[in-house]
């Protein structure tokens, strides 16, 4: 296996002895493809020359000024050739397999953007980094730091886990991702640049993975001790300022509005408490005496906090630009990352006055609630949302209802017909130009049908947003049957248009829903043909379940309950003793109601009380054209003298929340269709209403539900267009009471598997931890590309190709291939130009 080139970057400033020790350890490291770069940050005293002499295999880059740790690392990254960047403090050394373990994780999971090493003290007995935490006021910290490793629970340091950030003392990041994020923020100079980078990686959907096998050892603050002293206040100043910068850049607008004022106030209290400054010395309530105008001694630890706030304000204009970029690119919410903060309400400093202020500010600004804000989910359908809803709208409605238990949900229809019933979530209609606001609002967008074409912003300015595509309706297969009566050229153009719409969804989506395992195989083939099943995506999840999951149409978890009159009261000619077969949905071109009508005619000769009811002939969505099959069905029934006697047509669809009354009046549910490709991948939603109401089912063979009915013995499956078999099946379900009773008992058990909360579990789980698909992560690139062919090997390859072309087609074939090669090189040159 070709291993990626890893570029290890070590930054030196006045620490040549430590740096040389580090570089010599790297020279002996066991990874086969290692490039070591040392950046000297304008150290006085000849550090760069000493390092070159002591480590001749290392590339030394000299900066003309001290860029700090952040700037030094970025300078090294610009000179690095590896697809993986490793950052190692100059006062650290790698343990065995430090690189190998990190690279293995990056290769095994393309969604991991960075690896956090396990870092122990120099002797390997104390903890430096095994986990990271972040306070609500922006201070990143190393959990368990300074604790003997023997006292840290094994589960805290021995198991791989996702973390908010890796410590800059020993970490790895994909070079392409580091470049995508413009590296470390050089405004930080040093401290928290690693926290900020990790936070930004997570916000953009990348994972930062702690890998305990990637082990390093670190002399904590050995470098800092060379240039500073603990009581100078300089380190405190950087920590305080950079915590505010980190917070400001990365929190969402809503959370920042509460957290930043409280964080600024807490910074001041932290400063006065740290310096034990008397906070009441200027307060007139203490009494009025002679005016004192002399200087007040202020400890450096207090001054550091005050100056940190001052310099944070100074940086705000440039930070505002960075914040705008981060907020525009984020795909994860503050709530998503809350588990990675570990304990956001950790006060961090054990100072009594400070702790009291911390509690006051947390309560006064509602900090706990701000960090638990619910995710925003937008569900968009193209179907009419009214009391009389068809399948797509019913599905969108239930998706919204189930997700609203955990998230803030809006359901939007782009159909002009919108008169929704009451809902526990916001429902509205929108034209194309009105979609900008809800799209900007949403963290996750769930769409159906043609909606993506009405929301092109999801391909442009909102290309980073998480998009879930509901593919339960294979529209292009329906169109093959539905458009048979159209002119040939229009039919072909319509099919090409619908296929293009579906292609766009499959190329854009981060997560896909389909209705059955049959559909899943079909859509996997489509995804593969479009190039979505990339090695990167496959390596992230070989099962592809995290990309495409089966979410059937569902049914209510509440048993049907009569709320009004049903079909027996609404249709003249049906009495209580009649045996009723119900067709519980629309009549479309891919169905076969004609054979059903003929079967009823045959059955009526021996069962005079049989009745067939079509629940609704006219689609509630005015944009759905009437199909000829409905009129043909009525004409056939009329010609056989069945209409109003044995066959009944309800013209208007029954309101969605009244359909149970009609179902409860029926004795058997039926669906019949022709044998063609639409049937193979269809999901007959009407059958779910039969399950819900406990109706024995008669269905034509060939689709996913026919398999269910057969395997679970829920009714009878018949061959397509077989009138006699269909009549016999109806008779058995309607008149064989023992058979019907057994079907109902089995249906009751099976129905539990198809309730909306159960079938939507894959979507619910995805929305709890939503991420871009592995191949859509920003900055993703190959880790181990092949080496380009050069020199003698290139000549040998070209000679072999010449022989092959001559053997295949002689000089003509050789000339054709050579011409194609020239054109390809010319196009590449133009692109570079």
């Amino acid at each position: 296996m070709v291993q990626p080139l890893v570029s290890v970057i070590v930054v030196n400033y006045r620490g040549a002895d430590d740096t040389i020790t580090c570089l010599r350890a790297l020279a002996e490291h066991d990874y086969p493809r290692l490039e070591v770069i040392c950046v000297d940050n304008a150290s006085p005293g000849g550090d760069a020359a000493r390092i070159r002499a002591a480590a001749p295999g290392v590339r030394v880059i000299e900066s003309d000024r001290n860029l700090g740790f952040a700037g030094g690392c970025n300078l090294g990254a610009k000179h690095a050739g590896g697809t993986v960047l490793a950052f190692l403090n100059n006062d650290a050394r790698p343990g065995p397999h430090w690189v190998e373990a990190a690279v293995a994780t990056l290769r095994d999971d393309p969604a991991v953007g960075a690896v956090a090493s396990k870092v122990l003290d120099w002797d390997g007995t104390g903890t430096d980094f095994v986990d990271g935490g972040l306070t609500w006021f922006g201070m990143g910290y190393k959990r368990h730091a300074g604790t003997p490793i023997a006292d840290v629970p094994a589960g805290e340091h021995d198991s791989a886990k996702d973390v908010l950030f890796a410590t800059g003392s020993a970490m790895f990041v994909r070079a392409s991702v580091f470049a995508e994020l413009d590296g470390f923020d050089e405004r930080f100079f040093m401290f928290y640049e690693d926290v900020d980078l990790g936070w930004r990686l997570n916000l953009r959907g990348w994972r930062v993975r702690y890998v305990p096998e990637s082990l390093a050892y670190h002399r904590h603050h050995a470098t800092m001790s060379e240039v500073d002293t603990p009581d100078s206040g300089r380190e405190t100043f950087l920590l305080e300022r950079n915590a505010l910068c980190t917070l400001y850049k990365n929190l969402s607008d809503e959370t920042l509005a509460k957290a930043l004022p409280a964080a600024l106030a807490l910074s001041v209290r932290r400063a006065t408490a740290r310096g034990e400054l008397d906070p009441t010395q200027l307060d007139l309530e203490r009494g009025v005496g002679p005016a004192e105008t002399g200087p007040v001694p202020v400890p450096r630890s207090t001054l550091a906090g005050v100056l940190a706030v001052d310099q944070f304000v100074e940086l705000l204009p440039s930070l505002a630009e960075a914040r705008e970029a981060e907020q525009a690119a984020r795909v994860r919410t503050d709530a998503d990352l809350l588990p990675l903060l570990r304990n956001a309400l950790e006060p961090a400093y054990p100072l009594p006055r400070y702790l009291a202020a911390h509690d006051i500010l947390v309560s006064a600004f509602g900090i706990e609630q701000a960090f638990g804000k619910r995710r925003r989910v937008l569900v968009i359908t193209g179907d009419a949302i009214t009391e009389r809803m068809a399948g797509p709208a019913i599905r969108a409605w239930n998706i919204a209802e189930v997700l609203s238990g955990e998230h803030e949900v809006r359901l939007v229809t782009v159909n002009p017909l919108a008169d929704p019933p009451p809902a526990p979530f916001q429902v509205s209609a929108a034209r194309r130009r009105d979609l900008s606001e809800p799209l900007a609002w949403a963290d996750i967008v769930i769409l159906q049908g043609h909606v993506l074409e009405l929301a092109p912003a999801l391909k442009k300015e909102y290309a980073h947003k998480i998009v879930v595509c509901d593919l339960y309706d294979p529209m292009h297969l329906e169109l093959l049957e539905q458009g048979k009566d159209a002119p040939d050229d229009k039919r072909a153009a319509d099919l090409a248009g619908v296929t293009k719409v579906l292609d766009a969804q499959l190329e854009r989506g981060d997560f896909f829903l389909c209705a059955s395992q049959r559909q899943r195989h079909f859509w996997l083939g489509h995804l593969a043909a479009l190039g979505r099943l990339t090695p990167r995506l496959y390596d992230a999840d070989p099962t592809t379940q995290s990309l495409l999951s089966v979410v059937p149409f569902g049914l209510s978890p509440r048993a049907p309950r009569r709320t009004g009159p049903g079909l027996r009261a609404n249709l003249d000619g049906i009495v209580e003793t009649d045996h009723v077969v119900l067709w519980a949905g629309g009549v479309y071109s891919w169905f076969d109601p004609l054979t059903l009508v003929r079967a009823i005619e045959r059955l009526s000769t021996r069962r005079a009380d049989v009745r067939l009811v079509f629940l609704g002939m006219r689609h509630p969505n005015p944009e759905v054209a009437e199909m000829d099959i409905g009129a043909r069905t009525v004409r056939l029934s009329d010609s056989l003298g069945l209409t109003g006697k044995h066959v009944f047509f309800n013209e208007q669809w029954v309101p969605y929340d009244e359909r149970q009354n009609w179902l409860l009046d029926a004795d058997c549910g039926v669906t019949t269709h022709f044998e063609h490709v639409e049937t193979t991948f269809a999901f007959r939603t009407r059958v779910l209403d039969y399950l819900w109401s406990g109706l024995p089912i008669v269905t034509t063979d060939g689709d996913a539900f026919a398999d269910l009915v057969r395997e679970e013995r829920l009714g009878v499956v018949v061959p397509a267009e077989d009138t006699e078999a269909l009549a016999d099946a109806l008779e058995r379900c309607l008149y064989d009471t023992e058979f019907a009773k057994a079907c109902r008992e089995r249906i009751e058990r099976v129905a539990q598997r198809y309730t909306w909360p159960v079938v939507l579990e894959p979507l619910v789980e995805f929305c709890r931890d939503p991420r871009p698909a592995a191949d859509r992560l920003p900055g993703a690139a190959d880790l181990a590309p092949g080496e380009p062919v050069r020199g003698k090997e290139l000549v040998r390859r070209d000679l072999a190709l010449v022989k092959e072309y001559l053997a295949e087609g002689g000089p003509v074939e050789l000339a054709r291939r050579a011409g194609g090669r020239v054109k390809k090189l010319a196009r590449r040159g133009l692109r570079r130009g």
Side-chain angles (χ1 to χ4, degrees), residues 403-640:
L403 292 179
S404 68
E406 298 183 17
H407 312 288
E408 188 176 348
V409 178
R410 290 186 191 178
L411 174 59
V412 173
T413 178
V414 291
N415 193 287
L417 189 56
D419 184 18
F425 46 86
Q426 182 178 329
V427 188
S428 62
R431 291 169 292 184
R432 176 172 178 164
R433 66 172 181 263
D434 301 326
L435 287 175
S436 296
E437 187 276 329
L439 289 174
W441 168 87
D443 300 313
I444 303 171
V445 180
I446 303 173
L447 52 83
Q448 296 178 327
H450 294 76
V451 166
L452 185 59
E453 301 311 300
L454 301 177
L458 288 172
K459 305 176 190 176
K460 298 174 184 175
E461 58 262 45
Y462 300 133
H464 61 282
K465 296 237 178 191
I466 303 289
V467 170
V468 179
C469 298
D470 187 5
L471 303 172
Y472 96 100
D473 181 10
M475 302 181 295
H476 49 343
L477 300 186
E478 287 183 355
L479 200 60
L480 286 170
E481 186 66 30
Q482 185 178 344
K484 276 185 173 180
D485 295 333
D488 290 349
D489 56 343
K490 184 179 186 304
R491 188 181 180 199
D494 288 347
L495 181 62
V498 169
T499 304
K500 184 178 179 181
V501 167
L502 290 170
D503 286 349
Q505 289 188 33
L506 293 167
E507 289 169 348
R508 173 61 180 87
D510 296 292
F511 187 52
F512 301 96
L513 314 179
C514 63
S516 66
Q517 281 295 337
R518 288 190 184 196
Q519 280 195 7
R520 188 168 191 277
H521 297 154
F522 173 76
W523 290 119
L524 277 176
H526 206 147
L527 285 162
L530 287 172
R532 280 301 302 270
L533 295 191
T534 60
R536 191 173 298 125
L537 198 148
Y538 175 83
D539 290 348
D541 175 18
T543 71
T544 67
Q545 290 290 344
S546 60
L547 179 70
L548 174 62
S549 282
V550 175
V551 174
F553 211 87
L555 52 88
S556 171
R558 298 174 291 276
R561 181 175 57 87
R562 188 176 294 280
T563 59
L567 63 88
R568 296 178 190 268
N570 278 282
L571 299 175
D572 293 335
I574 302 178
V575 298
E576 288 301 317
T577 56
D578 288 337
H579 290 70
V580 178
V581 182
L582 184 64
W583 177 284
V587 179
Y588 309 131
S589 301
W590 45 88
F591 291 130
D592 179 20
L594 304 177
T595 299
L596 176 60
V597 169
R598 294 188 183 99
I600 290 294
E601 192 250 351
R602 185 164 302 187
L603 181 58
S604 68
T605 60
R606 53 184 189 264
R607 300 287 187 175
D609 59 354
V610 66
R611 303 288 184 267
L612 168 64
V613 174
F614 288 91
L615 188 67
M617 299 296 288
R618 185 171 299 170
H619 199 284
N621 185 352
E623 295 182 350
V624 175
E626 294 294 326
M627 300 182 197
D628 182 63
I629 188 67
R632 290 171 59 198
T633 304
V634 173
R635 288 198 299 270
L636 176 63
S637 177
D638 290 346
S639 68
L640 296 174

Side-chain angles (χ1 to χ4, degrees), residues 278 293 572 610 793:
D278 180 1
T293 58
D572 293 335
V610 66
E793 187 63 31

